[in-house]
Amino acid sequence: DTAVSQTPKYLVTQMGNDKSIKCEQNLGHDTMYWYKQDSKKFLKIMFSYNNKELIINETVPNRFSPKSPDKAHLNLHINSLELGDSAVYFCASSKRTEQETQYFGPGTRLLVL
Amino acid sequence: AQKITQTQPGMFVQEKEAVTLDCTYDTSDQSYGLFWYKQPSSGEMIFLIYQGSYDEQNATEGRYSLNFQKARKSANLVISASQLGDSAMYFCAMRETQGAQKLVFGQGTRLTINP
């Protein structure tokens, strides 16, 4: 009965490859997010979807493309991976109303060699 | 633009003592939410406590309380009777209540509880 799940948990890949991270939530939330945590532990929003519609698209290279097939799923595809993409990527979800907490997935640790 | 500042990169506390983790914020919004998350060494982000900008009382959740001083724009986390399992990174975050409602995080404070 995991609330927000991500796969894979670890991802080690070579520069230039394309990879995807999947996220699923079973909380009945209508909004999902991708955050990036860098090597200094700083967390920053990347994207957000509400009912499959993109509502946040921060300054992220266009090599990163989110896709939301339905309200419960938000995937992140990364093309042409670079060394600087190495980070922990967190998926989160919430209801899009006031005072609603965002619940985070376990994170995907991406290492680009 | 919203900004969260956590000025304590690291803190060391004796087990069973109370600890206060500082958080100040900056926003021009009248309505906002403040959150604290815990990130243990295993890496997951655990929600601890929430304070709404219009809440008149400080939020409490078990051993966690939020010392909310709106005029000073501070939202400090107080952990009472600290335990070894409290050792972790702690993040303060703010969410705008209008628009896209993204969370803006502070730099985090690494708390170490000594036996």
Side-chain angles (χ1 to χ4, degrees):
Chain A
D1 53 343
T2 305
V4 183
S5 60
Q6 292 179 232
T7 54
K9 192 167 172 63
Y10 299 97
L11 191 50
V12 181
T13 187
Q14 298 289 330
M15 252 187 348
N17 284 349
D18 303 339
K19 290 293 178 187
S20 291
I21 306 171
K22 296 188 176 182
C23 178
E24 177 180 1
Q25 55 93 6
N26 62 6
L27 297 168
H29 291 162
D30 57 3
T31 305
M32 296 183 73
Y33 310 80
W34 279 113
Y35 289 86
K36 178 181 180 180
Q37 185 174 41
D38 63 24
S39 58
K40 295 184 179 178
K41 300 288 189 181
F42 185 66
L43 276 146
K44 193 169 190 297
I45 184 77
M46 298 174 70
F47 302 103
S48 175
Y49 272 77
N50 174 253
N51 284 323
K52 301 195 296 177
E53 179 186 348
L54 182 66
I55 55 172
I56 297 176
N57 187 350
E58 292 288 298
T59 310
V60 176
N62 57 16
R63 298 182 294 103
F64 290 79
S65 53
K67 281 190 173 56
S68 181
D70 55 56
K71 284 196 306 183
H73 295 84
L74 179 62
N75 303 325
L76 182 65
H77 188 75
I78 315 170
N79 289 327
S80 302
L81 278 155
E82 300 177 357
L83 295 176
D85 298 332
S86 295
V88 181
Y89 293 85
F90 284 98
C91 176
S93 74
S94 72
K95 288 185 183 176
R96 197 181 177 192
T97 55
E98 284 192 32
Q99 303 182 21
E100 286 297 331
T101 296
Q102 290 183 21
Y103 292 94
F104 283 73
T108 295
R109 188 175 295 274
L110 171 65
L111 178 59
V112 182
L113 302 175
Chain B
Q2 298 179 323
K3 186 177 179 183
I4 296 282
T5 302
Q6 294 179 252
T7 56
Q8 306 153 310
M11 285 195 69
F12 294 84
V13 173
Q14 285 298 118
E15 194 179 4
K16 299 181 185 174
E17 290 184 351
V19 56
T20 298
L21 305 182
D22 294 342
C23 172
T24 58
Y25 60 91
D26 190 21
T27 181
S28 55
D29 292 344
Q30 295 300 308
S31 178
Y32 48 88
L34 295 157
F35 299 80
W36 279 90
Y37 287 85
K38 172 184 178 181
Q39 187 175 40
S41 57
S42 50
E44 69 269 30
M45 293 288 289
I46 302 168
F47 164 70
L48 294 179
I49 196 165
Y50 165 82
Q51 179 85 41
S53 57
Y54 291 119
D55 294 341
E56 294 187 351
Q57 295 206 340
N58 287 341
T60 59
E61 288 285 349
R63 294 186 300 111
Y64 304 108
S65 60
L66 200 153
N67 184 357
F68 181 46
Q69 298 189 43
K70 196 169 182 177
R72 293 187 176 184
K73 294 190 173 179
S74 74
N76 298 339
L77 177 71
V78 180
I79 307 174
S80 63
S82 57
Q83 302 171 356
L84 296 178
D86 295 332
S87 294
M89 283 288 288
Y90 288 81
F91 292 95
C92 180
M94 170 188 286
R95 188 198 63 211
E96 57 195 17
T97 52
Q98 303 298 322
Q101 301 182 342
K102 65 185 179 186
L103 283 176
V104 175
F105 284 88
Q107 310 92 312
T109 295
R110 182 172 296 280
L111 176 65
T112 302
I113 308 297
N114 294 318

